[in-house]
Coordinates of all heavy atoms in Angstrom, one line a residue:
Q1 N 166.4 -201.0 -2.2 CA 167.5 -202.0 -2.0 C 167.1 -203.0 -1.0 O 167.4 -204.2 -1.1 CB 168.7 -201.2 -1.6 CG 169.4 -200.4 -2.6 CD 170.6 -199.6 -2.2 OE1 170.8 -199.6 -0.9 NE2 171.2 -198.9 -3.0
E2 N 166.4 -202.5 0.0 CA 166.0 -203.5 1.1 C 164.9 -204.5 0.5 O 164.9 -205.7 0.9 CB 165.2 -202.7 2.3 CG 166.3 -201.9 3.1 CD 165.7 -200.9 4.1 OE1 164.4 -201.0 4.2 OE2 166.4 -200.2 4.7
I3 N 164.0 -204.0 -0.4 CA 163.1 -204.9 -1.0 C 163.8 -205.9 -1.9 O 163.5 -207.1 -1.9 CB 162.0 -204.1 -1.8 CG1 161.1 -203.4 -0.9 CG2 161.3 -205.0 -2.8 CD1 160.2 -202.4 -1.6
R4 N 164.7 -205.5 -2.7 CA 165.5 -206.4 -3.5 C 166.2 -207.5 -2.6 O 166.1 -208.7 -3.0 CB 166.7 -205.6 -4.3 CG 166.1 -204.8 -5.4 CD 167.1 -204.3 -6.4 NE 167.9 -203.3 -5.8 CZ 167.8 -202.0 -5.9 NH1 166.8 -201.5 -6.7 NH2 168.7 -201.2 -5.4
A5 N 166.8 -207.1 -1.6 CA 167.5 -208.1 -0.7 C 166.5 -209.0 -0.1 O 166.7 -210.2 0.0 CB 168.2 -207.3 0.5
A6 N 165.3 -208.5 0.3 CA 164.2 -209.4 0.9 C 163.7 -210.4 -0.2 O 163.5 -211.6 0.1 CB 163.0 -208.6 1.4
L7 N 163.6 -209.8 -1.4 CA 163.0 -210.8 -2.5 C 164.1 -211.9 -2.8 O 163.6 -213.1 -3.0 CB 162.8 -210.0 -3.8 CG 161.7 -209.0 -3.8 CD1 161.6 -208.2 -5.0 CD2 160.4 -209.7 -3.4
L8 N 165.4 -211.6 -2.8 CA 166.4 -212.6 -3.0 C 166.4 -213.6 -1.8 O 166.5 -214.8 -2.0 CB 167.7 -212.0 -3.2 CG 167.9 -211.2 -4.5 CD1 169.2 -210.5 -4.5 CD2 167.7 -212.1 -5.7
A9 N 166.2 -213.1 -0.6 CA 166.2 -214.0 0.6 C 165.0 -214.9 0.6 O 165.0 -216.0 0.9 CB 166.2 -213.1 1.8
L10 N 163.9 -214.3 0.2 CA 162.6 -215.2 0.2 C 162.6 -216.2 -0.9 O 161.9 -217.2 -0.7 CB 161.4 -214.2 -0.1 CG 160.9 -213.3 1.0 CD1 159.9 -212.3 0.5 CD2 160.3 -214.1 2.2
T11 N 163.4 -216.1 -1.9 CA 163.5 -217.1 -3.0 C 164.8 -217.7 -3.2 O 165.1 -218.2 -4.2 CB 163.0 -216.3 -4.3 OG1 164.0 -215.3 -4.6 CG2 161.6 -215.8 -4.2
E12 N 165.6 -217.7 -2.1 CA 167.0 -218.2 -2.2 C 167.1 -219.6 -2.8 O 168.0 -219.9 -3.6 CB 167.6 -218.1 -0.8 CG 169.1 -218.4 -0.8 CD 169.7 -218.1 0.5 OE1 168.9 -218.0 1.5 OE2 170.9 -218.2 0.6
A13 N 166.1 -220.5 -2.4 CA 166.2 -221.9 -2.8 C 165.5 -222.1 -4.2 O 165.6 -223.2 -4.7 CB 165.6 -222.8 -1.8
E14 N 165.0 -221.1 -4.8 CA 164.2 -221.2 -6.0 C 165.2 -221.1 -7.2 O 165.9 -220.2 -7.3 CB 163.2 -220.2 -6.2 CG 162.0 -220.3 -5.3 CD 161.1 -221.6 -5.7 OE1 160.8 -221.8 -6.9 OE2 160.9 -222.4 -4.8
E15 N 165.1 -222.1 -8.1 CA 165.9 -222.1 -9.4 C 165.3 -221.2 -10.4 O 165.9 -220.5 -11.1 CB 166.1 -223.5 -9.9 CG 167.1 -224.3 -9.1 CD 167.4 -225.6 -9.8 OE1 167.4 -225.7 -11.0 OE2 167.6 -226.7 -9.1
G16 N 163.9 -221.3 -10.5 CA 163.3 -220.7 -11.6 C 162.7 -219.3 -11.2 O 161.5 -219.1 -11.4
R17 N 163.5 -218.4 -10.7 CA 163.1 -217.1 -10.2 C 163.6 -216.0 -11.2 O 164.7 -216.2 -11.6 CB 163.5 -216.9 -8.8 CG 165.0 -216.7 -8.7 CD 165.4 -216.4 -7.3 NE 166.9 -216.2 -7.3 CZ 167.5 -215.9 -6.2 NH1 166.9 -215.6 -5.1 NH2 168.9 -215.8 -6.2
A18 N 162.8 -215.0 -11.4 CA 163.2 -213.9 -12.2 C 162.5 -212.7 -11.6 O 161.4 -212.7 -11.3 CB 162.8 -214.1 -13.6
F19 N 163.3 -211.7 -11.4 CA 162.8 -210.4 -10.9 C 163.2 -209.2 -11.8 O 164.3 -209.3 -12.4 CB 163.4 -210.1 -9.5 CG 162.9 -211.1 -8.4 CD1 163.8 -212.0 -8.0 CD2 161.6 -210.9 -7.9 CE1 163.3 -212.8 -6.9 CE2 161.2 -211.7 -6.9 CZ 162.1 -212.8 -6.4
F20 N 162.5 -208.2 -11.8 CA 163.0 -206.9 -12.3 C 162.4 -205.8 -11.4 O 161.4 -205.9 -10.8 CB 162.6 -206.7 -13.8 CG 161.2 -206.3 -14.0 CD1 160.7 -205.0 -13.9 CD2 160.2 -207.3 -14.3 CE1 159.4 -204.6 -14.1 CE2 158.9 -206.9 -14.5 CZ 158.5 -205.6 -14.5
M21 N 163.2 -204.8 -11.3 CA 162.9 -203.5 -10.6 C 163.4 -202.4 -11.4 O 164.5 -202.2 -11.6 CB 163.4 -203.5 -9.2 CG 162.9 -202.2 -8.4 SD 163.6 -202.1 -6.8 CE 162.7 -203.3 -5.9
A22 N 162.4 -201.5 -11.9 CA 162.7 -200.4 -12.8 C 162.4 -199.1 -12.2 O 161.2 -198.8 -11.8 CB 162.1 -200.6 -14.2
P23 N 163.4 -198.2 -11.9 CA 163.1 -196.9 -11.4 C 162.4 -196.0 -12.4 O 162.5 -196.3 -13.6 CB 164.4 -196.3 -11.0 CG 165.4 -197.0 -12.0 CD 164.8 -198.4 -12.2
M24 N 161.5 -195.2 -11.9 CA 160.7 -194.4 -12.8 C 160.8 -193.0 -12.2 O 160.4 -192.7 -11.1 CB 159.2 -194.8 -12.8 CG 159.0 -196.2 -13.4 SD 157.3 -196.7 -13.3 CE 156.4 -195.4 -14.1
C25 N 161.2 -192.0 -13.0 CA 161.2 -190.6 -12.6 C 159.8 -190.1 -12.6 O 158.8 -190.7 -13.1 CB 162.1 -189.8 -13.6 SG 161.4 -189.6 -15.2
E26 N 159.6 -188.9 -11.9 CA 158.3 -188.4 -11.9 C 157.6 -188.1 -13.3 O 156.4 -188.4 -13.4 CB 158.3 -187.1 -11.1 CG 158.6 -187.3 -9.6 CD 157.6 -188.2 -8.9 OE1 156.4 -188.1 -9.1 OE2 158.0 -189.0 -8.1
A27 N 158.4 -187.7 -14.2 CA 157.8 -187.4 -15.6 C 157.3 -188.7 -16.1 O 156.3 -188.8 -16.8 CB 158.9 -186.8 -16.4
C28 N 158.1 -189.7 -16.1 CA 157.7 -191.1 -16.6 C 156.5 -191.6 -15.8 O 155.6 -192.2 -16.4 CB 158.8 -192.1 -16.5 SG 160.3 -191.6 -17.6
S29 N 156.5 -191.5 -14.5 CA 155.4 -192.0 -13.7 C 154.1 -191.3 -14.1 O 153.1 -191.9 -14.1 CB 155.8 -191.7 -12.2 OG 154.7 -192.1 -11.4
A30 N 154.2 -190.0 -14.4 CA 153.0 -189.2 -14.7 C 152.5 -189.7 -16.1 O 151.3 -189.3 -16.4 CB 153.3 -187.7 -14.8
R31 N 153.2 -190.3 -16.9 CA 152.9 -190.7 -18.3 C 152.4 -192.2 -18.3 O 152.2 -192.8 -19.4 CB 154.0 -190.5 -19.2 CG 154.3 -189.0 -19.4 CD 155.6 -188.8 -20.3 NE 155.5 -189.6 -21.5 CZ 156.6 -190.0 -22.1 NH1 157.8 -189.7 -21.7 NH2 156.5 -190.7 -23.3
I32 N 152.2 -192.8 -17.2 CA 151.7 -194.2 -17.1 C 150.4 -194.3 -17.8 O 149.5 -193.5 -17.4 CB 151.6 -194.7 -15.7 CG1 153.0 -195.0 -15.1 CG2 150.9 -196.1 -15.6 CD1 153.1 -195.4 -13.6
W33 N 150.2 -195.2 -18.7 CA 149.0 -195.4 -19.4 C 148.3 -196.7 -18.9 O 149.0 -197.7 -18.8 CB 149.2 -195.5 -20.9 CG 148.0 -195.8 -21.7 CD1 147.0 -194.8 -22.0 CD2 147.6 -197.0 -22.3 NE1 146.1 -195.5 -22.9 CE2 146.4 -196.8 -23.0 CE3 148.1 -198.3 -22.2 CZ2 145.7 -197.8 -23.6 CZ3 147.5 -199.3 -22.9 CH2 146.3 -199.1 -23.6
K34 N 147.0 -196.7 -18.6 CA 146.4 -197.9 -18.1 C 144.9 -197.9 -18.6 O 144.4 -196.7 -18.7 CB 146.4 -198.1 -16.6 CG 145.7 -197.0 -15.8 CD 145.7 -197.3 -14.3 CE 144.8 -196.4 -13.6 NZ 144.6 -196.7 -12.2
V35 N 144.4 -199.0 -18.8 CA 143.0 -199.2 -19.2 C 142.5 -200.2 -18.3 O 143.1 -201.3 -18.1 CB 142.9 -199.5 -20.7 CG1 141.4 -199.9 -21.0 CG2 143.4 -198.5 -21.6
G36 N 141.3 -200.1 -17.9 CA 140.6 -201.1 -17.0 C 141.0 -200.9 -15.6 O 141.7 -200.1 -15.2
K37 N 140.4 -201.8 -14.7 CA 140.6 -201.7 -13.3 C 141.9 -202.5 -12.9 O 142.0 -203.7 -13.3 CB 139.4 -202.4 -12.6 CG 139.4 -202.3 -11.1 CD 138.2 -202.9 -10.5 CE 138.4 -203.1 -9.1 NZ 137.2 -203.9 -8.5
M38 N 142.8 -201.9 -12.2 CA 144.0 -202.5 -11.7 C 143.6 -203.5 -10.6 O 142.6 -203.4 -9.9 CB 145.1 -201.6 -11.3 CG 145.5 -200.6 -12.5 SD 146.3 -201.4 -13.8 CE 145.1 -201.4 -15.1
K39 N 144.5 -204.4 -10.3 CA 144.2 -205.5 -9.3 C 143.7 -205.0 -7.9 O 142.9 -205.5 -7.4 CB 145.5 -206.2 -9.1 CG 145.5 -207.4 -8.2 CD 144.9 -208.6 -8.8 CE 144.9 -209.8 -7.9 NZ 143.7 -210.2 -7.4

């Protein structure tokens, strides 16, 4: 919630902003699939 508030405050003047924040349970988190080197 603090991160969401900070993101909105940091971009308050931006018209073209879009955010998403999706919670992930432990079971879903354990099933993350990735290929290649992450950033």
